[in-house]
Amino acid sequence: MGKVKKGEACSVKGCTGTAVRSLSPSYAATMAKAGMEVADGGRLYLCEEHYKKFKKANAGQDKLEKWRLSG
């Protein structure tokens, strides 16, 4: 059983929500660009509200990366 199912708290500072997703620490820069300050450490745990904000902020980056790799 993973940490999300066990009820890990959201990694965004000031949020007390329960995490629904876990992300790699490499996304910390994207989180900062979206205006979310995350706690230092390993994996990032996000509640539903912050995950939606992350997806919107990361959508453009994913599209650019896909175009770059496709040639």
Side-chain angles (χ1 to χ4, degrees), residues 27-65:
Y27 287 110
T30 304
M31 300 283 291
K33 285 182 184 177
M36 293 181 271
E37 190 175 338
V38 294
D40 294 335
R43 295 201 58 86
L44 302 172
Y45 298 98
L46 300 177
C47 63
E48 190 171 353
E49 176 185 341
H50 288 117
Y51 183 67
K52 284 181 183 180
K53 288 181 183 178
F54 165 76
K55 283 193 330 185
K56 286 183 181 183
N58 196 43
Q61 294 296 94
D62 283 346
K63 189 180 291 187
L64 290 174
E65 186 68 16

